[in-house]
């Protein structure tokens, strides 16, 4: 059984920073791409950032220059460093682990940015 668990969310003031962590455990095939997505109330889930096994990154335009995705030294871990947070960044942030067979999702971690 595969588990994907996020952590690091919380309440922060605008302009502040948070670092999200995600780790996958269990019998999982080779992960090709790890990513972060978010879903704000009343909106669809959207891409925040992804990183491939080769380290190629992709960011939503709205977070470029403020957010950084990175792979951890431990296998199947990924981080999202979020700086200069804005109230519009408030959402549930989900971690994704994509293999050749399927994509695994965590349950999400709440990020709330107050103005």
């Amino acid at each position: 059984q595969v588990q994907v668990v996020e952590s690091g969310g919380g309440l922060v003031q605008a302009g502040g920073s948070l670092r999200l962590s995600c780790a996958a455990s269990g019998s999982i095939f080779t992960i090709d791409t790890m990513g972060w997505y978010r879903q704000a109330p009343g909106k669809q889930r959207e891409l925040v950032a992804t990183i491939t096994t080769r380290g190629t990154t992709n960011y939503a335009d709205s977070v470029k220059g403020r957010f950084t995705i990175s792979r951890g030294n431990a296998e199947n871990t990924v981080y999202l460093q979020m700086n200069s947070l804005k109230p519009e960044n408030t959402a549930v942030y989900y971690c994704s682990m994509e293999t050749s067979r399927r994509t695994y999702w965590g349950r999400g971690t709440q990020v709330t940015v107050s103005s």
Side-chain angles (χ1 to χ4, degrees), residues 4-10 12 18-22 35-40 45-49 62-63 66-67 80-83 85-96 105-113:
V4 177
V5 179
E6 305 97 335
S7 62
V12 65
L18 282 175
R19 188 188 192 218
L20 304 184
S21 301
C22 175
W36 290 96
Y37 292 74
R38 66 187 177 192
Q39 188 167 16
R45 190 174 297 189
E46 63 177 4
L47 168 74
V48 177
S62 62
V63 307
R66 299 187 298 119
F67 291 13
L80 184 68
Q81 178 67 42
M82 304 186 294
N83 298 328
L85 282 161
K86 305 175 181 179
E88 53 262 43
N89 299 141
T90 294
V92 178
Y93 284 70
Y94 297 91
C95 176
S96 70
W105 294 90
R107 292 188 175 187
T109 185
Q110 177 71 46
V111 172
T112 302
V113 185

Side-chain angles (χ1 to χ4, degrees), residues 43-113:
K43 295 187 177 181
Q44 290 188 331
R45 190 174 297 189
E46 63 177 4
L47 168 74
V48 177
T50 59
I51 185 167
T52 68
T53 52
R54 296 189 176 188
T56 301
T57 57
N58 180 46
Y59 293 94
D61 288 342
S62 62
V63 307
K64 285 180 180 177
R66 299 187 298 119
F67 291 13
T68 303
I69 189 171
S70 61
R71 301 175 73 104
N73 291 328
E75 191 175 12
N76 299 338
T77 60
V78 64
Y79 303 101
L80 184 68
Q81 178 67 42
M82 304 186 294
N83 298 328
S84 302
L85 282 161
K86 305 175 181 179
E88 53 262 43
N89 299 141
T90 294
V92 178
Y93 284 70
Y94 297 91
C95 176
S96 70
M97 299 284 186
E98 180 182 336
T99 72
S100 61
R101 293 192 176 191
R102 59 167 289 181
T103 298
Y104 297 90
W105 294 90
R107 292 188 175 187
T109 185
Q110 177 71 46
V111 172
T112 302
V113 185

